[in-house]
Each structure stands twice: as C-alpha cells, then as structure tokens.
Coordinates of all heavy atoms in Angstrom, one line a residue:
W1 N 0.8 -1.2 0.0 CA 0.0 -0.1 0.0 C 0.9 1.2 0.0 O 0.6 2.2 -0.7 CB -0.9 0.0 1.3 CG -1.8 1.2 1.3 CD1 -2.8 1.5 0.5 CD2 -1.6 2.2 2.3 NE1 -3.4 2.7 0.9 CE2 -2.7 3.2 2.0 CE3 -0.7 2.5 3.3 CZ2 -2.8 4.3 2.8 CZ3 -0.9 3.6 4.1 CH2 -1.9 4.6 3.8
R2 N 1.9 1.3 0.8 CA 2.8 2.5 0.8 C 3.6 2.6 -0.4 O 4.0 3.7 -0.7 CB 3.7 2.4 2.0 CG 3.1 2.5 3.4 CD 2.5 3.9 3.6 NE 3.6 4.9 3.6 CZ 3.4 6.2 3.6 NH1 2.2 6.6 3.4 NH2 4.5 6.9 3.6
S3 N 3.9 1.6 -1.1 CA 4.8 1.7 -2.3 C 4.1 1.8 -3.6 O 4.6 1.8 -4.7 CB 5.7 0.5 -2.4 OG 5.0 -0.7 -2.5
R4 N 2.7 2.1 -3.5 CA 2.0 2.2 -4.7 C 2.4 3.6 -5.4 O 2.8 4.5 -4.7 CB 0.4 2.2 -4.4 CG 0.0 3.4 -3.6 CD -1.5 3.2 -3.2 NE -2.0 4.4 -2.6 CZ -1.8 4.9 -1.5 NH1 -1.0 4.3 -0.7 NH2 -2.3 6.0 -1.0
P5 N 2.2 3.6 -6.7 CA 2.6 4.8 -7.4 C 1.7 6.0 -7.0 O 0.4 5.8 -6.8 CB 2.4 4.5 -8.9 CG 1.9 3.2 -9.0 CD 1.8 2.6 -7.6
R6 N 2.3 7.2 -6.8 CA 1.4 8.3 -6.5 C 0.7 8.8 -7.7 O 1.2 8.8 -8.8 CB 2.3 9.4 -5.9 CG 2.9 9.1 -4.7 CD 3.9 10.2 -4.1 NE 3.1 11.4 -4.0 CZ 3.7 12.5 -3.6 NH1 4.9 12.6 -3.3 NH2 3.0 13.6 -3.5
R7 N -0.5 9.4 -7.5 CA -1.2 10.0 -8.6 C -0.5 11.4 -8.9 O 0.1 12.0 -8.1 CB -2.6 10.3 -8.2 CG -3.5 9.0 -7.9 CD -4.9 9.4 -7.4 NE -4.7 9.9 -6.1 CZ -5.6 10.6 -5.4 NH1 -6.7 10.9 -6.0 NH2 -5.5 11.0 -4.2
P8 N -0.6 11.7 -10.2 CA 0.1 13.0 -10.5 C -0.7 14.2 -9.9 O -1.9 14.1 -9.8 CB -0.1 13.0 -12.0 CG -1.1 12.0 -12.4 CD -1.1 11.0 -11.3
G9 N 0.0 15.2 -9.5 CA -0.6 16.3 -8.9 C -1.3 17.2 -9.9 O -1.0 17.2 -11.1
D10 N -2.2 18.0 -9.4 CA -2.9 19.0 -10.2 C -1.8 20.1 -10.7 O -1.1 20.6 -9.7 CB -4.0 19.6 -9.4 CG -4.8 20.6 -10.3 OD1 -4.9 20.4 -11.5 OD2 -5.4 21.6 -9.7
P11 N -1.7 20.3 -12.0 CA -0.7 21.3 -12.4 C -0.8 22.6 -11.7 O 0.3 23.3 -11.4 CB -0.8 21.4 -13.9 CG -1.6 20.1 -14.2 CD -2.4 19.7 -13.1
I12 N -1.9 23.2 -11.5 CA -2.2 24.4 -10.9 C -1.6 24.5 -9.5 O -1.0 25.4 -9.1 CB -3.6 24.9 -11.0 CG1 -4.1 24.9 -12.5 CG2 -3.9 26.2 -10.4 CD1 -3.3 25.9 -13.4
D13 N -2.0 23.4 -8.8 CA -1.5 23.3 -7.3 C -0.1 23.3 -7.2 O 0.6 23.9 -6.4 CB -2.2 22.1 -6.7 CG -3.7 22.3 -6.4 OD1 -4.2 23.4 -6.5 OD2 -4.4 21.3 -6.3
T14 N 0.6 22.4 -8.1 CA 2.0 22.3 -8.0 C 2.7 23.5 -8.4 O 3.8 23.8 -7.8 CB 2.5 21.1 -8.8 OG1 2.0 21.2 -10.2 CG2 1.9 19.8 -8.3
I15 N 2.2 24.2 -9.4 CA 2.9 25.5 -9.7 C 2.8 26.5 -8.6 O 3.7 27.1 -8.3 CB 2.2 26.1 -11.1 CG1 2.6 25.1 -12.2 CG2 2.7 27.4 -11.3 CD1 2.0 25.4 -13.5
E16 N 1.6 26.6 -8.0 CA 1.4 27.5 -6.9 C 2.3 27.1 -5.7 O 2.9 28.0 -5.0 CB -0.1 27.5 -6.5 CG -1.0 28.2 -7.4 CD -2.4 28.1 -7.0 OE1 -2.7 27.4 -6.0 OE2 -3.3 28.7 -7.7
E17 N 2.4 25.8 -5.4 CA 3.3 25.4 -4.3 C 4.8 25.8 -4.6 O 5.5 26.3 -3.7 CB 3.2 23.9 -4.1 CG 1.9 23.5 -3.5 CD 1.8 21.9 -3.4 OE1 2.7 21.3 -3.8 OE2 0.7 21.6 -3.0
H18 N 5.2 25.6 -5.9 CA 6.6 25.9 -6.3 C 6.8 27.5 -6.1 O 7.8 27.9 -5.7 CB 6.9 25.5 -7.7 CG 8.2 25.7 -8.2 ND1 9.3 25.1 -7.6 CD2 8.6 26.5 -9.1 CE1 10.4 25.6 -8.2 NE2 10.0 26.5 -9.1
Q19 N 5.8 28.3 -6.5 CA 6.0 29.7 -6.5 C 6.0 30.1 -5.0 O 6.8 31.0 -4.6 CB 4.8 30.4 -7.1 CG 4.9 30.3 -8.6 CD 3.6 30.8 -9.4 OE1 2.5 31.0 -8.7 NE2 3.6 31.0 -10.6
R20 N 5.2 29.5 -4.0 CA 5.3 29.8 -2.6 C 6.7 29.5 -2.1 O 7.3 30.2 -1.3 CB 4.2 29.1 -1.9 CG 2.8 29.8 -2.0 CD 1.9 29.2 -0.9 NE 1.9 27.8 -0.8 CZ 1.0 27.0 -1.4 NH1 0.0 27.5 -2.1 NH2 1.0 25.7 -1.2
F21 N 7.2 28.3 -2.5 CA 8.5 27.9 -2.0 C 9.6 28.8 -2.5 O 10.5 29.3 -1.7 CB 8.8 26.5 -2.7 CG 10.1 25.9 -2.3 CD1 10.5 25.6 -1.1 CD2 11.1 25.8 -3.4 CE1 11.8 25.0 -0.8 CE2 12.4 25.3 -3.1 CZ 12.7 24.9 -1.8
R22 N 9.6 29.3 -3.7 CA 10.6 30.2 -4.3 C 10.4 31.6 -3.5 O 11.5 32.2 -3.2 CB 10.5 30.4 -5.8 CG 10.9 29.1 -6.5 CD 10.8 29.3 -8.0 NE 11.9 30.3 -8.3 CZ 12.0 31.0 -9.5 NH1 11.1 30.6 -10.4 NH2 12.9 31.7 -9.7
A23 N 9.2 32.0 -3.3 CA 9.0 33.2 -2.6 C 9.6 33.2 -1.1 O 10.2 34.1 -0.6 CB 7.5 33.6 -2.5
A24 N 9.4 32.1 -0.5 CA 10.0 31.8 0.9 C 11.5 31.8 0.9 O 12.1 32.4 1.8 CB 9.4 30.5 1.5
L25 N 12.1 31.3 -0.2 CA 13.5 31.3 -0.2 C 14.1 32.7 -0.6 O 15.1 33.0 -0.2 CB 14.0 30.3 -1.3 CG 13.9 28.8 -0.9 CD1 14.4 28.0 -2.0 CD2 14.7 28.5 0.4
A26 N 13.3 33.5 -1.2 CA 13.7 34.8 -1.7 C 13.6 35.8 -0.5 O 14.3 36.8 -0.5 CB 12.9 35.3 -2.8
R27 N 12.8 35.5 0.5 CA 12.6 36.4 1.6 C 13.8 36.5 2.4 O 14.4 35.5 2.8 CB 11.5 36.0 2.4 CG 10.1 36.6 2.0 CD 9.0 36.2 2.9 NE 8.7 34.9 2.5 CZ 7.9 34.0 3.2 NH1 7.4 34.3 4.3 NH2 7.6 32.9 2.6
P28 N 14.2 37.7 2.9 CA 15.4 37.7 3.8 C 15.1 37.2 5.2 O 13.9 37.3 5.6 CB 15.8 39.2 3.8 CG 14.5 39.9 3.5 CD 13.8 39.0 2.6
V29 N 16.1 36.8 5.9 CA 15.9 36.2 7.2 C 16.0 37.4 8.1 O 16.9 38.2 8.1 CB 17.0 35.2 7.6 CG1 16.9 34.7 9.0 CG2 17.0 34.1 6.6
P30 N 15.0 37.5 9.1 CA 15.0 38.6 10.0 C 16.3 38.5 10.9 O 16.7 37.4 11.2 CB 13.8 38.5 10.8 CG 12.8 37.6 10.0 CD 13.8 36.8 9.2
P31 N 16.9 39.7 11.3 CA 18.2 39.6 12.0 C 18.1 38.9 13.3 O 19.1 38.2 13.7 CB 18.6 41.1 12.2 CG 17.6 41.9 11.5 CD 16.5 41.0 11.0
G32 N 17.1 39.0 14.1 CA 17.0 38.3 15.4 C 16.5 36.8 15.3 O 16.5 36.3 16.4
S33 N 16.3 36.3 14.2 CA 15.7 35.0 14.2 C 16.7 33.8 14.1 O 16.4 32.7 14.3 CB 14.7 34.8 12.9 OG 15.6 34.9 11.7
V34 N 18.0 34.2 13.9 CA 19.1 33.2 14.0 C 19.9 33.4 15.2 O 20.4 34.5 15.5 CB 20.0 33.4 12.6 CG1 21.1 32.3 12.7 CG2 19.1 33.2 11.4
S35 N 20.1 32.3 15.9 CA 20.9 32.5 17.1 C 22.3 32.5 16.8 O 22.7 31.8 15.8 CB 20.6 31.3 18.1 OG 20.9 30.1 17.5
P36 N 23.2 33.1 17.6 CA 24.6 33.3 17.2 C 25.3 32.0 17.1 O 26.2 31.9 16.3 CB 25.1 34.2 18.3 CG 24.0 34.7 19.0 CD 22.8 33.9 18.8
G37 N 24.9 31.0 17.9 CA 25.7 29.7 17.8 C 25.4 28.9 16.6 O 26.0 27.9 16.4
S38 N 24.2 29.1 15.9 CA 23.8 28.2 14.9 C 24.3 28.6 13.5 O 24.1 27.9 12.6 CB 22.2 28.3 14.8 OG 21.8 29.5 14.5
E39 N 25.0 29.7 13.4 CA 25.6 30.2 12.1 C 26.9 29.3 11.8 O 27.6 29.1 12.7 CB 25.8 31.6 12.1 CG 24.6 32.5 12.3 CD 25.0 34.0 12.2 OE1 26.2 34.4 12.0 OE2 24.1 34.8 12.6
P40 N 27.0 29.0 10.6 CA 28.3 28.3 10.2 C 29.4 29.2 10.4 O 29.3 30.4 10.2 CB 28.1 27.9 8.8 CG 27.0 28.9 8.2 CD 26.2 29.2 9.4
P41 N 30.6 28.7 10.7 CA 31.9 29.5 10.9 C 32.2 30.2 9.7 O 32.2 29.6 8.6 CB 32.9 28.6 11.4 CG 32.4 27.2 11.1 CD 30.9 27.3 10.9
G42 N 32.6 31.5 9.8 CA 33.1 32.2 8.6 C 34.6 32.0 8.4 O 35.2 31.3 9.3
P43 N 35.2 32.6 7.5 CA 36.7 32.5 7.3 C 37.5 33.0 8.5 O 38.5 32.4 8.8 CB 37.0 33.3 6.0 CG 35.6 33.6 5.4 CD 34.6 33.4 6.4
E44 N 37.0 34.0 9.2 CA 37.7 34.6 10.3 C 37.7 33.6 11.5 O 38.4 33.7 12.4 CB 37.2 35.9 10.7 CG 35.7 36.0 11.1 CD 34.7 36.0 10.1 OE1 35.0 36.0 8.9 OE2 33.5 35.8 10.5
Q45 N 36.7 32.7 11.5 CA 36.5 31.8 12.6 C 37.1 30.3 12.3 O 36.8 29.4 13.0 CB 35.1 31.6 13.0 CG 34.4 32.9 13.4 CD 32.9 32.8 13.6 OE1 32.3 31.8 13.1 NE2 32.3 33.7 14.3
G46 N 37.8 30.2 11.2 CA 38.4 28.9 10.8 C 37.6 28.1 9.9 O 37.9 27.0 9.7
G47 N 36.5 28.7 9.4 CA 35.7 27.9 8.5 C 36.3 28.1 7.0 O 37.3 28.6 6.8

C-alpha cells in the first residue's frame, strides 16, 4: 500500500506550491531569528 505509485498532482496546485517555495527562499531572514551559535563559521573563525 505504501509503495503504490502516487497520482500525478494538479498542475495548478503544484505550480502554486513551487511559487510559494521560491518566494519563501527569496525572503530575507530577520536579523533576530538566527541564534549566534547556529551560524556556520566564517573564514575569520576557521571555516
């Protein structure tokens, strides 16, 4: 049952989902939403 082929999605829905995904990636991250310890190290920190 779990490995059955998925039905194709509605083209309009999938295009809208893709547009929402791209819009979310294009939005800048607010400055206070990332904790200082979670950022990857930069070149000055040995990264």
Side-chain angles (χ1 to χ4, degrees):
W1 178 72
R2 289 295 294 167
S3 63
R4 70 188 189 283
R6 293 178 59 180
R7 292 177 288 163
D10 184 27
I12 301 299
D13 291 341
T14 55
I15 290 172
E16 288 173 357
E17 288 173 6
H18 182 67
Q19 288 172 345
R20 283 195 313 262
F21 175 71
R22 291 186 64 195
L25 287 180
R27 274 183 274 170
V29 177
S33 66
V34 178
S35 63
S38 67
E39 294 179 13
E44 66 280 352
Q45 297 172 343

